[in-house]
Amino acid sequence: MTRVLVLADTHAPRFWKTVPPALVPLLEQADLILHAGDVCVPSVLDELAAYAPVRVVLGNNDGPDVAAWNDGVPETLEWEIDGLRVAMIHNSGARQGRGRRMRRRFPDAELVVYGHSHIPMDVVDDGCHLFNPGSPTDKRRQPRPTAGMLEIEAGALVRHDLITL
């Protein structure tokens, strides 16, 4: 089984000064860390990489320094995690029609991870499983900061949780 910690919208250094203490136990359990953009400074990725391998996509607030991290950060990713087809993008667009839009953009993905809205979301929309972890540091209008944890085994998403920090 692969345990995947999912983050987005850390917005350092304004909101992320260092790893939030509430995030440490989740980082220690992770086999892989996904960051769905708006990292803002590459030192966040270096901190995360001390715990587990990191896969990241560019957000609208990420500059050339983040884009250059670890041989380059793309705008989207598509790959397999333990046999599950996953796609990741920062901005999935408006809520209306999101599932259909993501299905067209990533037709082979069984799970689409995204960020941008800072609104935690774990839904199946128009046949597309969408997962937004919210933000562990910049909760905006949400009651608490959040992150996501996935467990993947033999091509199946066996657990998908939004975690309040």
Side-chain angles (χ1 to χ4, degrees):
M1 179 170 2
T2 304
R3 296 189 66 138
V4 183
L5 177 63
V6 186
L7 304 171
D9 300 291
T10 48
H11 290 278
R14 185 169 176 215
F15 291 99
W16 175 291
K17 308 297 185 204
T18 188
V19 173
L23 203 54
V24 171
L26 300 174
L27 287 163
E28 290 172 340
Q29 297 172 37
D31 299 309
L32 175 66
I33 301 165
L34 305 183
H35 196 301
D38 277 1
V39 178
C40 301
V41 297
S43 61
V44 169
L45 300 172
D46 293 332
E47 282 184 88
L48 295 174
Y51 291 92
V54 176
R55 302 292 307 259
V56 59
V57 294
L58 286 175
N60 57 298
N61 288 296
D62 293 327
D65 52 346
V66 172
W69 185 79
N70 199 27
D71 297 327
V73 174
E75 290 185 12
T76 64
L77 279 172
E78 293 182 73
W79 78 108
E80 285 190 8
I81 301 172
D82 199 1
L84 183 78
R85 293 181 310 261
V86 177
M88 188 163 58
I89 188 170
H90 179 63
N91 186 351
S92 64
R95 185 175 186 160
Q96 181 81 16
R98 181 179 287 140
R100 189 174 329 106
R101 210 172 30 257
M102 292 299 99
R103 174 64 57 221
R104 278 194 313 267
R105 180 138 193 194
F106 306 111
D108 296 327
E110 296 169 277
L111 175 69
V112 177
V113 172
Y114 69 100
H116 189 62
S117 69
H118 298 229
I119 300 170
M121 187 78 57
D122 182 11
V123 299
V124 175
D125 180 6
D126 200 20
C128 186
H129 193 152
L130 303 168
F131 192 86
N132 183 333
S135 173
T137 52
D138 183 6
K139 64 185 182 74
R140 289 194 183 165
R141 292 171 293 281
Q142 301 306 303
R144 300 278 310 238
T146 56
M149 185 64 81
L150 310 173
E151 291 181 0
I152 301 167
E153 186 171 20
L157 183 60
V158 296
R159 190 167 182 188
H160 41 101
D161 296 323
L162 293 168
I163 300 167
T164 301
L165 302 177

